């Protein structure tokens, strides 16, 4: 343990370079994919989240060369804590789209309500984490830094609670689709996909519009999107649990000063989540509206 390092250790140079390279590549891919598929909503979500990770790991690389720099330390800590919030916002939007495509009669919430509710919770988590990061980075002593860490923990807990509820609702939705148990009959208010949401559906999404059961509407494209979304959710959730426990233990806690845990439970899970959504990209599987022009 390095007593005069805010990390409790000196970040390993080659690991910092590795993760910085990986995040730069996946972020560049998300930027290219968002542009190609004309999914502009991915810019303030996945792309911005990727940029945040690149900045965070740049700070960590800086720390590996100058571990006494407080600016490098807080650049790493704040950005790697806040960046995933933008990614979860993208996931919430994707789920809303899947509900629109498969059938809103199986959902307890309308797609638009679903997106607004969870993105609002994500925004609250983001603001709280940002306030905590600002408090910690401007603190003059350990007391202020600990206060900032506790505020950031509150933000992560809000985010984790939102993801938990999102998983429960999504699980309930899929169960109802697979067992054909709609919340309301098709044709009732809230039970029909709005025409504006379905208009101009991409040729990458082929729906069985005449199908009676919800299971038959789960096309291969939508199944693939659900697989990618599920994998990304698991890894982001693992990371959220880790960061909560890490920060609750304080800046000098056994978990915070363990570099291997940070690399394995923060660096790796978020990269995997981003890479998985490169492979299972919504542009390939659930493009709708004007986005279809990019692949027509």
């Amino acid at each position: 343990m390095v007593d005069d390092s805010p990390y409790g250790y000196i970040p390993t140079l080659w690991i910092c370079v590795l993760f910085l390279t990986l995040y730069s590549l996946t972020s560049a891919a998300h930027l290219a994919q968002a542009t190609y598929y004309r999914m502009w909503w991915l810019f303030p979500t996945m792309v911005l989240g990727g940029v945040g990770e690149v900045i965070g790991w740049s700070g960590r690389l800086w720390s590996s060369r100058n571990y006494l720099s407080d600016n490098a330390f807080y650049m790493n800590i704040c950005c790697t804590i806040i960046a995933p919030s933008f990614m979860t916002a993208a996931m919430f939007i994707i789920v809303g789209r899947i509900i629109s495509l498969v059938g809103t009669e199986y959902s307890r919430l309308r797609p638009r309500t679903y997106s607004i509710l969870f993105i609002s919770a994500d925004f609250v988590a983001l603001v709280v984490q940002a306030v905590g990061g600002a408090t910690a980075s401007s603190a003059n002593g350990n007391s202020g830094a600990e206060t900032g860490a506790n505020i950031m923990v509150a933000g992560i807990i809000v985010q984790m609670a939102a993801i938990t509820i999102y998983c429960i609702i999504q699980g309930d939705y899929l169960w109802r689709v697979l067992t054909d148990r709609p919340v309301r009959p098709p044709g009732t208010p809230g039970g029909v996909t709005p025409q504006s949401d379905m208009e101009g559906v991409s040729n990458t999404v082929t729906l069985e519009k005449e199908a009676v059961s919800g299971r038959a509407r789960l096309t291969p494209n939508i199944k693939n999107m659900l697989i990618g979304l599920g994998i990304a959710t698991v890894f982001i959730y693992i990371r959220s649990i880790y960061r909560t426990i890490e920060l609750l233990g304080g800046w000098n806690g056994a978990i915070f000063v363990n570099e291997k845990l940070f690399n394995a439970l923060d660096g790796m899970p978020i990269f995997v989540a981003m890479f998985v959504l490169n492979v299972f990209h919504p542009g390939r599987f659930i493009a709708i509206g004007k986005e279809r022009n990019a692949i027509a």
Side-chain angles (χ1 to χ4, degrees):
M1 182 170 176
V2 181
D3 292 333
D4 57 348
S5 169
Y7 297 96
Y9 56 85
I10 300 175
T12 305
L13 176 62
W14 73 266
I15 291 179
C16 294
V17 171
L18 173 63
F19 274 111
L20 179 57
T21 301
L22 291 175
Y23 276 113
S24 296
L25 290 173
T26 185
S27 298
H30 274 292
L31 175 62
Q33 287 173 307
T35 302
Y36 178 76
Y37 292 115
R38 298 184 184 178
M39 289 187 155
W40 311 124
W41 54 273
L42 286 173
F43 280 83
T45 53
M46 288 303 301
V47 175
L48 187 56
V51 170
E53 288 292 342
V54 169
I55 294 173
W57 280 92
S58 295
R60 197 169 180 83
L61 177 60
W62 181 5
S63 291
S64 72
R65 308 303 295 170
N66 180 13
Y67 67 86
L68 295 177
S69 171
D70 287 339
N71 289 333
F73 173 73
Y74 287 115
M75 180 176 166
N76 169 232
I77 294 299
C78 295
C79 288
T80 55
I81 286 177
I82 292 172
S85 295
F86 298 101
M87 302 171 198
T88 53
M91 291 161 50
F92 296 149
I93 294 173
I94 291 171
V95 169
R97 286 188 164 210
I98 290 174
I99 291 174
S100 291
L101 293 168
V102 176
T104 58
E105 66 267 26
Y106 297 97
S107 176
R108 297 183 184 277
L109 300 174
R110 289 179 64 86
R112 189 177 301 277
T113 303
Y114 196 104
S115 297
I116 291 174
L117 177 64
F118 287 102
I119 290 176
S120 296
D122 203 47
F123 178 74
V124 170
L126 177 64
V127 171
V128 173
Q129 290 174 70
V131 170
T135 301
S137 61
S138 62
N140 294 320
N142 290 334
S143 177
E146 290 293 343
T147 298
N150 290 333
I151 295 174
M152 284 190 282
V153 167
I156 295 175
I157 291 175
V158 170
Q159 182 185 60
M160 192 161 59
I163 296 175
T164 301
I165 297 172
Y166 142 84
C167 288
I168 293 172
I169 294 178
Q170 180 67 353
D172 175 71
Y173 178 77
L174 289 176
W175 175 76
R176 289 184 176 281
V177 168
L178 293 173
T179 59
D180 198 27
R181 295 172 183 263
V183 175
R184 63 190 73 81
T188 59
V192 178
T193 300
Q195 186 64 29
S196 60
D197 287 347
M198 291 299 301
E199 202 170 297
V201 172
S202 165
N203 55 12
T204 63
V205 181
T206 304
L207 296 177
E208 301 287 346
K209 292 186 178 180
E210 301 302 322
V212 176
S213 69
R215 181 190 292 269
R217 301 181 206 173
L218 290 176
T219 65
N221 283 330
I222 292 177
K223 288 179 181 178
N224 283 332
M225 191 69 254
L226 285 169
I227 290 171
L229 195 61
I231 295 172
T233 299
V234 168
F235 279 94
I236 288 182
Y237 199 75
I238 289 172
R239 172 264 177 192
S240 296
I241 294 173
Y242 161 72
R243 293 310 295 250
T244 300
I245 297 173
E246 175 204 39
L247 292 177
L248 281 175
W251 299 113
N252 297 313
I255 296 178
F256 186 85
V257 299
N258 190 316
E259 181 183 17
K260 291 180 179 178
L261 284 180
F262 180 84
N263 294 332
L265 297 177
D266 186 281
M268 186 274 291
I270 299 301
F271 168 72
V272 171
M274 291 191 67
F275 178 71
V276 165
L277 291 178
N278 282 134
V279 177
F280 295 91
H281 195 274
R284 294 180 59 196
F285 303 117
I286 58 168
I288 64 176
K290 294 181 179 179
E291 295 161 358
R292 69 186 296 275
N293 297 328
I295 52 179

